[in-house]
Amino acid sequence: MSGLSVTQASEIVDAALSHARELGLRPLTVTVLDPGGHPKVVKREDGAGILRPQIAHAKAWGSLGTGQGGAVGARHATRDPAFFAALASISEGRIASSKGGVLIRDEHGELLGAVGVSGDRPDNDEAVAIFGVEKAGLVADAG
């Protein structure tokens, strides 16, 4: 696979949002980034908070930047908050260590990008991110 297509990124976002509606979650924002941290697709549901796009981006970007899903980052941030405060400073505030940031891989483990979801509880954000990636036939790496 040569990379994540816009079609695949759209499928991830649409599947995640559809699943969120089935679960009755609060309004979400979902973003998919390429491996360089650039947006491929971003959708913000009606009623989602005005900071949700930035938070979703930071969850995905943080996963890319650390090479780990947001679940790992959240566990590390709890154990070593000073280190993650430093990461936030180093990244100029572009990183969020929280569930809801999931790496996207192909069947061979190649990194294709990351998805970030924001708007509900972190566990729910992560669940719909994973659902979207898997629905697109790719591998979700949440950590």
Side-chain angles (χ1 to χ4, degrees), residues 47-90:
I50 63 171
L51 288 177
R52 294 301 174 188
Q54 292 87 340
I55 296 167
H57 185 99
K59 287 181 177 185
W61 199 88
S63 292
L64 287 170
T66 62
Q68 306 175 88
V72 173
R75 287 192 301 270
H76 285 240
T78 300
R79 287 194 307 263
D80 192 355
F83 176 72
F84 278 85
L87 278 183
S89 177
I90 292 165

Side-chain angles (χ1 to χ4, degrees), residues 90-134:
I90 292 165
S91 69
E92 299 175 347
R94 293 180 293 186
I95 191 170
S97 299
S98 177
K99 287 184 174 184
V102 174
L103 295 172
I104 304 165
R105 298 187 183 278
D106 68 11
E107 67 276 5
H108 305 292
E110 179 183 345
L111 180 65
L112 302 176
V115 58
V117 178
S118 179
D120 206 276
R121 298 188 47 76
D123 288 336
N124 293 334
D125 291 349
E126 179 178 84
V128 299
I130 291 169
F131 182 90
V133 171
E134 292 177 349

Side-chain angles (χ1 to χ4, degrees), residues 10-88:
S10 293
E11 186 176 350
I12 291 167
V13 171
D14 292 343
L17 291 174
S18 176
H19 191 54
R21 290 310 102 234
E22 291 169 0
L23 296 174
L25 303 183
R26 291 180 286 211
L28 301 179
T29 295
V30 182
T31 187
V32 173
L33 306 180
D34 69 15
H38 304 286
K40 295 286 280 188
V41 175
V42 179
K43 286 191 178 181
R44 180 183 159 273
E45 288 186 302
D46 296 342
I50 63 171
L51 288 177
R52 294 301 174 188
Q54 292 87 340
I55 296 167
H57 185 99
K59 287 181 177 185
W61 199 88
S63 292
L64 287 170
T66 62
Q68 306 175 88
V72 173
R75 287 192 301 270
H76 285 240
T78 300
R79 287 194 307 263
D80 192 355
F83 176 72
F84 278 85
L87 278 183

